[in-house]
Amino acid sequence: MSDIDAVLLAGGRARRLQGIDKAMLVVDGRVLLAHALDAVGAARSRVVVGPFRDGFPTDVRWAREHPPFGGPVTALAAGLEALRTSGGTAPLVVVLATDLPAAGAAVEALRESIDAAAVDRDGPHDSANADGWVAVDPDGQRQPLLAVYRATALTAAIARLRGSRRGLDGASMRDLLAGLRLLAVPLPGALTADIDTPQQRDAALGVASAHRPGAV
């Protein structure tokens, strides 16, 4: 798709998982990063922000956030800069965490919702003037790392935050996205579920938690 690029975030510390490389967890026979890259396989350009890993397609670009482990906003800024210096960004950018076991189905559902909104001009949402489309889980929580944004709006938001007293280092996605016109895309829990805890990891791997009742 010539109208869309992708930035995949794969550089967190995973403190609640004893620092393991979540992107390299194997789910359904493949590592999570491979699932994420496949989910955006039709994108014009794909950038992974995080340590370089061997064994992935040669067209994938790699970037690192500055400072290291500076959080999702610094990672996203590094990803957008990598796109800019490699020929410019497409009009839309998929932003995707790499700890989503159902990344492929989630991105497909997100894109289908955007396409449907574009066709339904009489619908309740002004898709033409939106700065982005963000997945929302069944609890009503926005998932800003499962989203599609207009590149111009996202780049401008990063520039504003970088120039503020807050800065990018350690900033939250909420800080970054404040003021943007974002449309909610409700998705089922199976598509928004990520892996942040041992219990979520075990569920994704189909392994009963070691803390289940009666476990020794």
Side-chain angles (χ1 to χ4, degrees):
M1 293 179 288
S2 62
D3 67 332
I4 197 161
D5 289 328
V7 174
L8 281 61
L9 306 189
R13 294 182 187 272
R15 289 189 180 93
R16 286 182 285 179
L17 287 167
Q18 291 74 52
I20 66 170
D21 187 355
K22 290 196 292 181
M24 299 303 287
L25 279 174
V26 176
V27 175
D28 292 334
R30 306 181 68 219
V31 298
L32 287 175
L33 181 52
H35 286 292
L37 285 168
D38 281 354
V40 294
R44 188 195 65 163
S45 296
R46 299 176 292 176
V47 174
V48 176
V49 184
F52 175 79
R53 286 99 164 174
D54 286 315
F56 294 97
T58 56
D59 68 297
V60 173
R61 295 179 173 86
W62 298 82
R64 289 306 306 266
E65 69 274 24
H66 299 288
F69 305 111
V73 176
T74 58
L76 184 51
L80 290 176
E81 178 64 12
L83 289 172
R84 186 188 68 81
T85 57
S86 64
T89 56
L92 301 176
V93 179
V94 177
V95 174
L96 185 64
T98 55
D99 62 350
L100 295 163
V107 170
E108 181 179 1
L110 193 60
R111 189 61 193 255
E112 287 177 352
S113 179
I114 295 170
D115 291 343
V119 172
D120 183 15
R121 298 184 181 277
D122 296 324
H125 303 300
D126 187 3
S127 183
N129 292 317
D131 292 321
W133 299 261
V134 180
V136 175
D137 69 20
D139 293 326
Q141 297 297 312
R142 290 201 311 190
Q143 305 297 314
L145 303 184
L146 175 53
V148 177
Y149 301 98
R150 295 197 192 278
T152 53
L154 199 55
T155 300
I158 287 173
R160 284 194 299 270
L161 189 57
R162 179 183 278 120
S164 72
R165 294 180 61 184
R166 178 66 186 82
L168 301 185
D169 185 16
S172 68
M173 289 297 292
R174 180 177 297 178
D175 295 328
L176 177 66
L177 301 177
L180 293 190
R181 295 164 295 184
L182 303 175
L183 297 185
V185 180
L187 294 181
L191 300 188
T192 59
D194 58 9
I195 298 177
D196 283 328
T197 67
Q199 291 78 17
Q200 291 169 337
R201 175 202 58 202
D202 293 346
L205 299 178
V207 177
S209 171
H211 300 290
R212 68 188 184 278
V216 177

